Amino acid sequence: MASPTRFEFPIAKAQYLFNRASEPGQGGDKRKFWRDVMGFESSEAIREAILTEVSLDILQPQSQNEQGELYRAYIEVTGISGISRRIRTVWIVLLDEDVARFVTAVPDRLGGL
C-alpha cells in the first residue's frame, strides 16, 4: 500500500458535514456542531479550516478494508465562534492510489491535544 502524498477533500463532503439531519443512530445532527457550536456558516469555511490544520505527517493508520486503508488525524480547529475543539478526521487511501480522500470529521471526545 502506497503512502499518501496529497489530500482530496471535495466540497460535497464538506456539505455533508453541514447537513442538518441524519437518521437516528447515524451520527446525529452534524450541522448543530459545525454551525451552532463552532460558528461556521458555510461548508467552504469548514473545508478550509480542516485543510489548514491537517498534514500528511500526522496521518495515523487506522484499519484496512476491501477499498483501501483508513487513516485518522487529530487536529485542533478553531471555529468562527472562537471555540477550539479537537477533531478526529478520517481519510481513505484507495487500493493502488496515493491520495488521502476525506471521509468524515467528528469532535473527539477524549479532549485536548
Side-chain angles (χ1 to χ4, degrees), residues 5-59:
T5 60
R6 64 184 175 94
F7 291 103
E8 183 177 289
F9 189 164
I11 196 64
K13 287 288 192 169
Q15 290 167 340
Y16 160 79
L17 294 177
F18 214 57
N19 284 343
R20 170 175 270 297
S22 297
E23 292 299 320
Q26 295 189 8
D29 189 346
K30 293 164 197 60
R31 189 174 101 172
K32 182 176 178 76
F33 172 75
W34 292 104
R35 174 171 263 179
D36 296 350
V37 175
M38 300 297 286
F40 288 104
E41 296 185 11
S42 72
S43 49
E44 292 84 358
I46 295 169
R47 181 180 178 268
E48 182 178 330
I50 290 171
L51 286 174
T52 296
E53 297 301 323
V54 74
S55 64
L56 294 170
D57 60 316
I58 65 170
L59 287 178

Coordinates of all heavy atoms in Angstrom, one line a residue, residues 5-59:
T5 N 0.3 10.9 -0.6 CA 1.2 12.1 -1.0 C 0.4 13.4 -1.0 O 1.0 14.4 -1.1 CB 1.9 11.8 -2.3 OG1 0.8 11.7 -3.3 CG2 2.7 10.6 -2.3
R6 N -0.9 13.3 -1.0 CA -1.7 14.5 -1.0 C -3.1 14.2 -0.5 O -3.5 13.0 -0.4 CB -1.8 15.1 -2.4 CG -2.4 14.3 -3.4 CD -2.4 14.9 -4.9 NE -2.9 14.0 -5.8 CZ -4.2 14.0 -6.3 NH1 -5.0 14.9 -5.8 NH2 -4.6 13.2 -7.2
F7 N -3.9 15.3 -0.3 CA -5.2 15.2 0.2 C -6.2 15.5 -0.9 O -5.9 16.3 -1.8 CB -5.5 16.1 1.4 CG -4.8 15.8 2.6 CD1 -3.7 16.4 3.0 CD2 -5.3 14.7 3.4 CE1 -3.0 16.1 4.2 CE2 -4.6 14.4 4.6 CZ -3.5 15.1 5.0
E8 N -7.4 14.9 -0.8 CA -8.5 15.3 -1.7 C -9.7 15.4 -0.8 O -10.1 14.5 0.0 CB -8.8 14.2 -2.7 CG -9.9 14.6 -3.7 CD -10.1 13.6 -4.8 OE1 -9.2 13.5 -5.6 OE2 -11.1 12.8 -4.7
F9 N -10.4 16.6 -0.8 CA -11.5 16.9 0.0 C -12.5 17.7 -0.8 O -12.6 18.9 -0.8 CB -11.0 17.8 1.2 CG -12.0 18.0 2.3 CD1 -11.6 18.5 3.5 CD2 -13.4 17.8 2.2 CE1 -12.4 18.7 4.6 CE2 -14.2 18.0 3.2 CZ -13.8 18.5 4.4
P10 N -13.4 16.9 -1.5 CA -14.4 17.6 -2.4 C -15.4 18.4 -1.5 O -15.7 18.0 -0.4 CB -15.1 16.4 -3.0 CG -14.3 15.2 -2.8 CD -13.4 15.5 -1.6
I11 N -15.9 19.5 -2.1 CA -16.8 20.4 -1.3 C -18.1 19.6 -1.0 O -18.7 19.9 0.1 CB -17.1 21.7 -2.1 CG1 -17.7 22.7 -1.2 CG2 -17.9 21.4 -3.3 CD1 -16.8 23.2 -0.1
A12 N -18.4 18.6 -1.7 CA -19.6 17.8 -1.4 C -19.5 17.1 -0.1 O -20.5 17.0 0.7 CB -19.9 16.8 -2.5
K13 N -18.3 16.7 0.3 CA -18.0 16.1 1.6 C -18.2 17.1 2.7 O -18.7 16.8 3.8 CB -16.7 15.4 1.6 CG -16.6 14.2 0.8 CD -17.3 13.1 1.5 CE -17.0 11.7 0.9 NZ -17.5 10.6 1.6
A14 N -17.7 18.3 2.5 CA -17.9 19.4 3.5 C -19.4 19.7 3.6 O -19.9 20.0 4.7 CB -17.1 20.6 3.1
Q15 N -20.1 19.7 2.5 CA -21.6 20.0 2.6 C -22.3 18.9 3.4 O -23.2 19.2 4.2 CB -22.2 20.0 1.2 CG -21.7 21.3 0.5 CD -22.0 21.2 -1.0 OE1 -22.2 20.2 -1.6 NE2 -22.0 22.4 -1.6
Y16 N -21.8 17.7 3.4 CA -22.3 16.6 4.2 C -22.2 16.9 5.7 O -23.1 16.7 6.5 CB -21.5 15.3 3.9 CG -21.6 14.2 4.9 CD1 -22.7 13.4 5.0 CD2 -20.5 14.0 5.8 CE1 -22.7 12.4 6.0 CE2 -20.5 13.0 6.7 CZ -21.7 12.2 6.8 OH -21.7 11.2 7.8
L17 N -21.0 17.5 6.1 CA -20.8 17.9 7.5 C -21.8 19.0 7.9 O -22.1 19.2 9.0 CB -19.4 18.4 7.7 CG -18.3 17.4 7.6 CD1 -17.0 18.1 7.7 CD2 -18.5 16.3 8.5
F18 N -22.3 19.8 6.9 CA -23.1 20.9 7.2 C -24.6 20.6 7.0 O -25.5 21.4 7.2 CB -22.8 22.1 6.2 CG -22.9 23.4 6.8 CD1 -22.3 23.8 7.9 CD2 -23.7 24.4 6.1 CE1 -22.4 25.1 8.4 CE2 -23.9 25.6 6.7 CZ -23.2 26.0 7.8
N19 N -24.9 19.3 6.8 CA -26.3 18.9 6.7 C -27.0 18.9 8.1 O -26.3 18.7 9.1 CB -26.4 17.4 6.2 CG -26.2 17.4 4.7 OD1 -26.3 18.3 4.0 ND2 -26.0 16.2 4.2
R20 N -28.3 19.3 8.1 CA -29.0 19.4 9.3 C -29.3 18.0 9.9 O -29.0 17.7 11.1 CB -30.3 20.1 9.2 CG -31.1 20.0 10.4 CD -32.4 20.9 10.3 NE -32.2 22.2 10.8 CZ -32.0 22.5 12.1 NH1 -31.8 21.6 13.0 NH2 -31.9 23.8 12.5
A21 N -29.9 17.1 9.1 CA -30.5 15.9 9.7 C -29.7 14.7 9.3 O -29.2 14.6 8.2 CB -31.9 15.8 9.3
S22 N -29.8 13.7 10.2 CA -29.3 12.4 9.9 C -30.4 11.4 10.5 O -31.2 11.8 11.4 CB -28.0 12.0 10.6 OG -27.0 12.8 10.2
E23 N -30.4 10.2 10.0 CA -31.3 9.3 10.6 C -30.8 8.9 12.0 O -29.6 9.0 12.3 CB -31.4 8.0 9.8 CG -32.0 8.2 8.4 CD -33.5 8.7 8.5 OE1 -34.2 8.1 9.4 OE2 -33.9 9.6 7.7
P24 N -31.7 8.6 13.0 CA -31.3 8.3 14.3 C -30.3 7.1 14.3 O -30.4 6.2 13.5 CB -32.6 7.8 15.0 CG -33.7 8.5 14.2 CD -33.2 8.6 12.8
G25 N -29.2 7.3 15.1 CA -28.2 6.3 15.1 C -27.2 6.4 14.1 O -26.3 5.6 14.0
Q26 N -27.2 7.4 13.2 CA -26.3 7.6 12.1 C -25.5 8.9 12.2 O -25.3 9.6 11.2 CB -27.0 7.5 10.8 CG -27.6 6.1 10.6 CD -28.1 6.0 9.1 OE1 -27.9 6.8 8.3 NE2 -28.8 4.9 8.9
G27 N -25.1 9.2 13.4 CA -24.2 10.4 13.5 C -24.8 11.6 14.1 O -24.1 12.6 14.3
G28 N -26.1 11.7 14.3 CA -26.6 12.9 14.9 C -26.7 14.1 13.9 O -26.5 14.0 12.7
D29 N -27.0 15.2 14.5 CA -27.1 16.5 13.7 C -25.7 17.1 13.6 O -25.2 17.8 14.4 CB -28.1 17.4 14.5 CG -28.4 18.6 13.7 OD1 -27.8 18.9 12.7 OD2 -29.4 19.3 14.1
K30 N -25.1 16.9 12.4 CA -23.7 17.4 12.2 C -23.7 18.9 12.1 O -22.8 19.6 12.6 CB -23.2 16.8 10.9 CG -23.0 15.3 10.9 CD -22.8 14.8 9.5 CE -23.0 13.3 9.5 NZ -24.3 12.8 9.9
R31 N -24.8 19.5 11.5 CA -24.8 20.9 11.4 C -24.9 21.6 12.7 O -24.3 22.7 12.9 CB -26.0 21.3 10.5 CG -26.0 22.8 10.2 CD -27.1 23.1 9.2 NE -28.2 23.7 10.0 CZ -29.2 24.3 9.4 NH1 -29.4 24.2 8.1 NH2 -30.2 24.8 10.1
K32 N -25.5 21.0 13.7 CA -25.6 21.6 15.1 C -24.2 21.8 15.6 O -23.9 22.9 16.1 CB -26.4 20.7 16.0 CG -26.6 21.3 17.4 CD -27.5 20.4 18.2 CE -27.6 20.9 19.6 NZ -28.5 22.0 19.7
F33 N -23.3 20.8 15.5 CA -21.9 21.0 16.0 C -21.2 22.1 15.1 O -20.7 23.1 15.7 CB -21.2 19.7 15.9 CG -19.7 19.9 16.3 CD1 -19.3 20.2 17.6 CD2 -18.7 19.9 15.3 CE1 -18.0 20.4 17.9 CE2 -17.4 20.1 15.5 CZ -17.0 20.4 16.9
W34 N -21.2 21.9 13.8 CA -20.4 22.8 13.0 C -20.9 24.2 12.9 O -20.1 25.2 12.9 CB -20.2 22.2 11.6 CG -19.4 21.0 11.6 CD1 -19.8 19.7 11.5 CD2 -18.0 20.9 11.8 NE1 -18.8 18.8 11.6 CE2 -17.6 19.5 11.7 CE3 -17.0 21.8 11.9 CZ2 -16.3 19.1 11.9 CZ3 -15.7 21.4 12.0 CH2 -15.3 20.0 12.0
R35 N -22.2 24.4 13.0 CA -22.8 25.8 12.9 C -23.0 26.3 14.3 O -22.5 27.4 14.6 CB -24.1 25.7 12.2 CG -24.8 27.1 12.2 CD -26.0 27.2 11.3 NE -25.5 27.8 10.1 CZ -26.2 28.1 9.1 NH1 -27.5 27.7 9.0 NH2 -25.7 28.7 8.0
D36 N -23.8 25.6 15.2 CA -24.2 26.2 16.5 C -23.0 26.3 17.5 O -22.9 27.2 18.2 CB -25.3 25.4 17.1 CG -26.6 25.5 16.2 OD1 -26.6 26.3 15.3 OD2 -27.5 24.8 16.5
V37 N -22.2 25.3 17.5 CA -21.0 25.2 18.4 C -19.8 26.0 17.9 O -19.3 26.9 18.5 CB -20.7 23.8 18.8 CG1 -19.4 23.8 19.7 CG2 -21.8 23.1 19.5
M38 N -19.4 25.6 16.7 CA -18.2 26.1 16.1 C -18.4 27.4 15.3 O -17.5 28.2 15.1 CB -17.6 25.1 15.2 CG -17.2 23.8 15.9 SD -15.9 24.0 17.2 CE -14.5 24.3 16.2
G39 N -19.6 27.7 14.9 CA -20.0 29.0 14.3 C -19.7 29.1 12.8 O -19.8 30.2 12.3
F40 N -19.5 28.0 12.2 CA -19.3 28.0 10.7 C -20.6 28.3 10.0 O -21.6 27.8 10.4 CB -18.7 26.7 10.2 CG -17.2 26.5 10.6 CD1 -16.9 25.7 11.7 CD2 -16.2 27.2 10.0 CE1 -15.6 25.5 12.0 CE2 -14.9 27.1 10.3 CZ -14.6 26.2 11.4
E41 N -20.5 29.1 9.0 CA -21.7 29.4 8.2 C -21.7 28.9 6.8 O -22.7 29.1 6.1 CB -21.9 31.0 8.2 CG -22.2 31.5 9.6 CD -22.5 33.0 9.6 OE1 -22.7 33.6 8.5 OE2 -22.5 33.5 10.7
S42 N -20.6 28.2 6.4 CA -20.6 27.6 5.1 C -19.7 26.3 5.1 O -18.8 26.2 5.9 CB -20.0 28.6 4.1 OG -18.6 28.8 4.3
S43 N -20.1 25.4 4.2 CA -19.3 24.2 4.1 C -17.9 24.6 3.6 O -16.9 23.9 3.9 CB -20.0 23.2 3.1 OG -20.4 23.9 1.9
E44 N -17.7 25.6 2.8 CA -16.4 26.0 2.3 C -15.5 26.4 3.5 O -14.3 26.1 3.5 CB -16.5 27.2 1.3 CG -17.1 26.8 0.0 CD -18.7 26.9 0.0 OE1 -19.3 27.2 1.1 OE2 -19.3 26.6 -1.0
A45 N -16.1 27.1 4.5 CA -15.3 27.5 5.6 C -14.8 26.3 6.5 O -13.7 26.3 7.0 CB -16.1 28.5 6.5
I46 N -15.7 25.3 6.6 CA -15.3 24.1 7.3 C -14.2 23.4 6.6 O -13.2 23.0 7.2 CB -16.5 23.1 7.4 CG1 -17.6 23.8 8.3 CG2 -16.1 21.8 8.0 CD1 -19.0 23.0 8.3
R47 N -14.3 23.2 5.3 CA -13.3 22.6 4.5 C -12.0 23.3 4.6 O -10.9 22.6 4.8 CB -13.8 22.5 3.0 CG -12.8 21.9 2.1 CD -13.4 21.9 0.6 NE -12.5 21.3 -0.3 CZ -11.5 22.0 -1.0 NH1 -11.4 23.3 -0.8 NH2 -10.7 21.3 -1.8
E48 N -12.0 24.6 4.5 CA -10.7 25.3 4.6 C -10.1 25.2 6.0 O -8.9 25.0 6.1 CB -11.0 26.8 4.3 CG -9.8 27.7 4.4 CD -10.0 29.1 4.1 OE1 -11.0 29.4 3.3 OE2 -9.3 30.0 4.6
A49 N -10.9 25.2 7.1 CA -10.4 25.1 8.4 C -9.7 23.7 8.6 O -8.7 23.6 9.2 CB -11.5 25.3 9.4
I50 N -10.3 22.7 8.1 CA -9.8 21.3 8.2 C -8.5 21.2 7.4 O -7.5 20.7 7.9 CB -10.8 20.2 7.8 CG1 -11.9 20.2 8.9 CG2 -10.1 18.9 7.7 CD1 -13.1 19.3 8.5
L51 N -8.5 21.6 6.2 CA -7.3 21.5 5.3 C -6.2 22.4 5.8 O -5.0 22.0 5.6 CB -7.7 21.9 3.9 CG -8.5 20.8 3.1 CD1 -8.9 21.4 1.7 CD2 -7.7 19.5 3.0
T52 N -6.5 23.5 6.5 CA -5.4 24.3 7.1 C -4.6 23.6 8.2 O -3.4 23.7 8.4 CB -6.0 25.6 7.7 OG1 -6.6 26.3 6.6 CG2 -5.0 26.5 8.4
E53 N -5.3 22.7 8.9 CA -4.7 22.1 10.1 C -4.2 20.7 9.8 O -3.3 20.2 10.5 CB -5.7 22.0 11.2 CG -6.2 23.3 11.8 CD -5.1 24.2 12.3 OE1 -4.1 23.6 12.9 OE2 -5.1 25.4 12.1
V54 N -4.7 20.0 8.8 CA -4.2 18.6 8.6 C -3.0 18.5 7.8 O -2.7 19.4 6.9 CB -5.4 17.7 8.0 CG1 -5.6 18.1 6.5 CG2 -5.1 16.3 8.1
S55 N -2.1 17.6 8.0 CA -0.9 17.4 7.2 C -0.6 15.9 7.1 O -1.1 15.1 7.9 CB 0.3 18.1 7.8 OG 0.6 17.5 9.1
L56 N 0.1 15.5 6.1 CA 0.4 14.1 5.8 C 1.1 13.5 6.9 O 0.9 12.3 7.2 CB 1.1 14.0 4.5 CG 0.3 14.3 3.2 CD1 1.3 14.4 2.0 CD2 -0.8 13.4 3.0
D57 N 2.0 14.2 7.6 CA 2.8 13.6 8.6 C 2.1 13.3 9.9 O 2.6 12.6 10.8 CB 4.1 14.5 8.9 CG 3.7 15.9 9.4 OD1 2.8 16.5 8.8 OD2 4.3 16.4 10.4
I58 N 0.8 13.8 10.1 CA 0.1 13.4 11.3 C -1.0 12.3 11.0 O -1.7 11.9 11.9 CB -0.6 14.6 11.9 CG1 -1.7 15.3 11.0 CG2 0.5 15.7 12.4 CD1 -2.5 16.3 11.7
L59 N -1.0 11.8 9.8 CA -2.0 10.7 9.5 C -1.5 9.4 10.2 O -0.3 9.1 10.2 CB -2.0 10.4 8.0 CG -2.8 11.4 7.1 CD1 -2.7 11.0 5.7 CD2 -4.2 11.6 7.6

